[in-house]
Amino acid sequence: MSATGTRRLTTAQALVRFLAAQYTERDGVRHRLIAGTWGIFGHGNVAGVGQALVEYGGVMPFHQGRNEQAMVHAAVGYARQLNRLSTQAVTTSIGPGATNLVTGAALATVNRLPVLLLPGDYFASHAAGPLLQQLEHPVEADVSVNDALRPVSRYFDRINRPEALLVSALRAMRVLSDPAETGAVTLALPQDVQAEAFDWPEEFFADRVWRVRRPAPDPEELTEAVRALRAARRPLIVAGGGVHHSEAETALTALVDATGIPVASTQAGKGALRHDHPADLGGIGHTGTAVADDLARTADLVIGVGTRYSDFTTASGTLFQDPDVRFLNLNITAFDAHKLAARTLVCDARAGLTALTEALAGHRVPSSYEDEYRAGRARWEEKVRAAFRADDDSAVPTQTQVLGALDAVVGDEDVVINAAGSLPGDLHKLWRSRSPRQYHLEYGYSCMGYEIPAALGVQQAAPGTAVWALVGDGTYLMNPTEIVTAVQENLPVKLVLVQNHGYASIGGLSESVGAERFGTDYRHRAADGTFTGAPLPVDLAANAASLGMDVLRAKTVRELREALSTARAATRPTCVHVETAAARDALPAEAWWDVPVAEVSAREPVNDARARYEHAVADRRHHL
């Protein structure tokens, strides 16, 4: 350190030291904003960020990844578990290491979850070129493969000079910590600039606190919202992920207890109310429950809290069918609050719900409405029990019976993680959420391969918590690599590996649209291109064991229950492998979803599917 109030460090060293001094604070509780760094080292980051992480290993924890996309998923899982108040950074080499970040970045930004990406980049000086792994562009010399990260990042900059970091690093932290703007943030780091020394002001390394605001609702918007709620006869709350991010579950419960308004939840919002609360209707939309979707069709006021109204949630614009239905959206992001031509409350979810409860003092929905939805809850609970029940302990379990066995084993604070395939539909309909963080579904991007690395991030954020990653065989084959990291860091995640020999969800969808399950089974391929015969002789349990997991094979319902109990108590990464039987009475979708069907075809299944499609799409509404 010099006497002039500066410190001479490389750009990479300065960045790592800066990141170690950043904090968020909400409600008086402080968190490290960047709690650690994931990395795979190669050409473009090993001599810069890699050396800096050695230099400052005492203040910046490092986690060794195996796949760049998976490292982003782990950081996202960490951030979601901690309500976006803390996240992790990801450093990669240039070239393929950097482009492997794109899917993870898209997932983070779609789901409004913070993650900091630090990919290596080409020489800013252009002194070396064409560089190893460089994409040469004939007319734009400043383009690199990192530009692919621009559309999936909430903030992007390429640090072409050391002093540019002084401005850009602060901007990056502002976006990461802002609940209305957060998502993936990318700082592309040319490898020569990473290693270049600069005299950095000492102030750059001082502890800095980014306060996460809870903006209150505008008084006029609040007055209009209260007027609409008092006039509604059949109001319905749609709880989204923003309820969890704001830690507004208690405030939501208080509003519901005071008014009797029922709550349906999106995939991200499930668990906003405990499953046994009398006003909890479960999931809504295409993967929702019958009681939630039936009430949605007749609701006259839909109150969206922290939801972005995905296509699944709205059943492609066909779900909310009351002729006079109107929307009231409480969201910290104006972009989402204005969807469906809604009245808006642009504010923090907890602040807005608390204000509504106070302003609605003495108001309650009609008792006949409460009786109606409670009776619907009871009918649906019977369906849940039937789906979970296994009358023969020696039989091969169905997928819903797998969930029933897990339901009987988990504790209130366990976390169950899933993202893609047929499991999200069954979970949204059937899972009984006991606590706000238990149900962890990434369904904004529905990314196969998310579950295992996300489980690592959740386990790091919540040590001592039982963390379950639920995957089908298709998802497992997409991204099992971080099992090695779980073993390396002794993260005792529990993997439930459901072997169903193919892409079960897309197989069903393929059949429904006349594509006849083509290319969705893992089976031998015949000369005519069809997939026939026995399943491929692939042993995924052996694969998990080869990567270092303890593996328990369950062939029957009884063995499954025993294996899940053993896994929950395990102190090492443990896999429960189970092959499932086809469900005899699979739960159908309770609402439509728009998947366009070929308008003309010589094949009868397509024509039948097209007729059904045209009938369903006629119910679509544009809420204006």
Side-chain angles (χ1 to χ4, degrees):
M1 187 188 307
S2 73
T4 59
T6 61
R7 190 183 307 191
R8 191 161 182 81
L9 302 173
T10 68
T11 302
Q13 292 166 357
L15 176 59
V16 170
R17 185 64 190 84
F18 168 85
L19 294 177
Q22 306 304 302
Y23 297 86
T24 61
E25 184 175 285
R26 186 169 70 183
D27 304 329
V29 180
R30 188 169 295 188
H31 302 262
R32 275 278 297 265
L33 177 51
I34 308 298
T37 298
W38 288 87
I40 297 174
F41 294 116
H43 181 58
N45 71 335
V46 65
V49 174
Q51 187 282 324
L53 288 168
V54 174
E55 191 94 8
Y56 289 106
V59 295
M60 179 56 69
F62 174 73
H63 310 290
Q64 185 179 13
R66 268 72 193 178
N67 173 280
E68 291 85 1
Q69 177 183 322
M71 293 193 298
V72 185
H73 294 337
V76 166
Y78 183 96
R80 175 167 168 172
Q81 182 67 19
L82 294 178
N83 304 314
R84 307 192 296 193
L85 297 170
S86 183
T87 188
Q88 297 168 321
V90 177
T91 178
T92 72
S93 61
I94 66 174
T99 51
N100 281 350
L101 294 173
V102 174
T103 296
L107 181 148
T109 296
V110 164
N111 287 285
R112 300 359 184 212
L113 292 166
V115 62
L116 177 62
L117 308 179
L118 304 174
D121 213 322
Y122 314 147
F123 280 68
S125 67
H126 292 201
L131 198 64
L132 175 66
Q133 300 177 319
Q134 180 173 354
L135 173 70
E136 292 185 275
H137 195 289
V139 295
E140 295 181 88
D142 62 341
V143 168
S144 83
V145 295
N146 287 335
D147 288 284
L149 287 160
R150 289 182 184 271
V152 293
S153 297
R154 293 291 286 165
Y155 179 78
F156 178 98
D157 196 10
R158 181 175 287 113
I159 310 300
N160 285 320
R161 293 178 58 86
E163 58 266 37
L165 186 65
L166 293 169
V167 175
S168 194
L170 293 173
R171 291 175 176 171
M173 297 304 104
R174 182 194 66 78
V175 173
L176 287 172
S177 62
D178 188 331
E181 294 192 36
T182 196
V185 166
T186 300
L187 296 180
L189 303 172
Q191 60 179 307
D192 54 343
V193 178
Q194 288 182 52
E196 186 175 343
F198 183 74
D199 292 325
W200 303 89
E202 281 295 332
E203 294 88 344
F204 189 58
F205 307 114
D207 286 358
R208 189 180 300 268
V209 177
W210 301 86
R211 287 188 170 80
V212 180
R213 299 178 294 277
R214 290 195 181 277
D218 175 83
E220 292 187 10
E221 286 193 335
L222 181 61
T223 298
E224 290 184 6
V226 170
R227 185 181 298 119
L229 278 161
R230 288 187 179 276
R233 300 290 294 172
R234 300 179 63 83
L236 173 67
I237 292 172
V238 176
V243 176
H244 294 311
H245 299 326
S246 177
E247 298 174 282
E249 299 90 355
T250 300
L252 176 63
T253 302
L255 174 64
V256 171
D257 288 345
T259 64
I261 301 173
V263 176
S265 55
T266 69
Q267 288 278 14
K270 193 171 171 72
L273 289 185
R274 264 188 66 102
H275 75 95
D276 52 3
H277 191 286
D280 179 60
L281 308 181
I284 192 169
H286 180 67
T287 55
T289 67
V291 58
D293 286 352
D294 285 348
L295 259 68
R297 292 184 181 95
T298 59
D300 58 356
L301 181 67
V302 179
I303 307 105
V305 183
T307 177
R308 61 191 187 90
Y309 287 110
S310 76
D311 190 41
F312 259 62
T313 299
T314 66
S316 300
T318 64
L319 184 58
F320 306 109
Q321 284 296 323
D322 184 280
D324 299 316
V325 65
R326 291 293 181 265
F327 295 84
L328 167 64
N329 291 338
L330 191 167
N331 204 296
I332 200 165
T333 306
F335 175 80
D336 292 315
H338 281 274
K339 288 177 178 175
L340 301 175
R343 291 184 175 90
T344 61
L345 275 175
V346 181
C347 60
D348 170 74
R350 182 195 288 183
L353 289 168
T354 300
L356 284 174
T357 302
E358 293 171 354
L360 287 166
H363 174 73
R364 195 167 184 89
V365 299
S367 59
S368 59
Y369 186 47
E370 291 190 71
D371 292 342
E372 177 187 345
Y373 69 68
R374 291 186 184 193
R377 270 180 46 86
R379 290 192 299 272
W380 186 258
E381 181 58 27
E382 284 299 318
K383 289 192 175 185
V384 174
R385 282 194 285 265
F388 282 177
R389 186 170 55 243
D391 297 324
D392 182 0
D393 282 359
S394 64
V396 175
T398 65
Q399 182 165 281
T400 58
Q401 289 168 348
V402 171
L403 297 183
L406 184 61
D407 175 80
V409 167
V410 299
D412 282 6
E413 300 304 318
D414 289 19
V415 179
V416 175
I417 302 173
N418 186 242
S422 57
L423 277 165
D426 287 344
L427 284 161
H428 202 204
K429 292 185 184 77
L430 301 173
W431 190 257
R432 298 159 166 161
S433 297
R434 283 92 148 162
S435 61
R437 298 294 165 272
Q438 183 169 87
Y439 188 88
H440 183 126
L441 260 285
E442 187 289 295
Y443 216 53
Y445 211 49
S446 188
C447 184
M448 296 178 73
Y450 171 82
E451 295 91 340
I452 295 173
L456 272 61
V458 171
Q459 193 74 82
Q460 289 174 332
T465 298
V467 180
W468 302 84
L470 275 59
V471 300
D473 47 19
T475 287
Y476 177 84
L477 286 169
M478 287 278 183
N479 204 359
T481 55
E482 271 21 59
I483 287 174
V484 178
T485 300
V487 173
Q488 182 179 38
E489 298 210 1
N490 196 30
L491 297 170
V493 296
K494 295 92 172 61
L495 171 62
V496 180
L497 175 50
V498 178
Q499 172 61 274
N500 53 23
H501 303 291
Y503 304 115
S505 175
I506 292 301
L509 180 62
S510 171
E511 188 170 47
S512 73
V513 298
E516 304 174 52
R517 292 184 177 265
F518 176 75
T520 62
D521 290 334
Y522 291 160
R523 297 179 185 274
H524 290 284
R525 190 167 187 171
D528 64 358
T530 59
F531 293 86
T532 59
L536 298 175
V538 175
D539 190 341
L540 298 183
N543 178 264
S546 76
L547 297 177
M549 275 196 140
D550 291 344
V551 175
L552 306 169
R553 295 176 184 261
K555 295 183 179 179
T556 67
V557 172
R558 182 184 301 108
E559 291 176 1
L560 175 63
R561 290 171 181 155
E562 293 170 355
L564 291 172
S565 294
T566 300
R568 190 173 188 278
T571 57
R572 292 194 71 255
T574 301
C575 170
V576 175
H577 177 276
V578 58
E579 185 164 354
T580 54
R584 293 182 300 276
D585 300 307
L587 289 171
E590 297 293 339
W592 184 66
W593 178 44
D594 190 349
V595 180
V597 178
E599 194 167 358
V600 295
S601 173
R603 302 179 73 86
E604 197 58 33
V606 180
N607 296 327
D608 291 344
R610 180 68 191 189
R612 293 192 298 270
Y613 176 82
E614 291 177 354
H615 176 77
V617 79
D619 290 334
R620 171 174 283 145
R621 296 182 61 184
H622 297 285
H623 299 283
L624 300 173

